[in-house]
Amino acid sequence: NAGLSGIGLTVYPNPNSGQFVMQLDLDHGLEVKMRIFDLVGKQVWSRNAELPYGEFKQAVDLSSLSNGTYLIEILTEEGRLSRKVVIQ
């Protein structure tokens, strides 16, 4: 994603049953806002973290939510990165 060359985001497994891991790979420390939205735009999960250089894994449990597609958004002072995750 333009503006976020220093961040990698991997979501696995995808699709999943509501439990998955977001893995961030950072080439420098950053304050990161992690958000997950449904397709209507309602925020269903969030976490803010001051992350160091390297690999960070965040386990997420959305198994109480309806099946469907959700949007993961990673926000930093440098920009925004997004991925879709499918719960089935």
Side-chain angles (χ1 to χ4, degrees), residues 3-67:
L4 285 184
S5 57
I7 297 184
L9 172 61
T10 309
V11 179
Y12 61 89
N14 188 18
N16 60 69
S17 60
Q19 295 181 317
F20 58 94
V21 173
M22 293 189 295
Q23 179 178 315
L24 289 165
D25 295 290
L26 308 174
D27 68 3
H28 58 285
L30 275 177
E31 184 175 331
V32 176
K33 295 178 180 176
M34 296 168 265
R35 306 276 186 264
I36 302 177
F37 299 90
D38 64 18
L39 289 182
V40 183
K42 179 183 162 203
Q43 183 176 292
V44 297
W45 183 93
S46 69
R47 177 172 178 209
N48 296 346
E50 188 75 42
L51 300 180
Y53 158 85
E55 182 183 282
F56 173 79
K57 291 182 180 177
Q58 173 68 57
V60 180
D61 185 351
L62 300 181
S63 54
S64 62
L65 298 180
S66 301
N67 290 355

Side-chain angles (χ1 to χ4, degrees), residues 64-75:
S64 62
L65 298 180
S66 301
N67 290 355
T69 301
Y70 293 83
L71 183 69
I72 297 171
E73 184 177 80
I74 305 298
L75 288 169

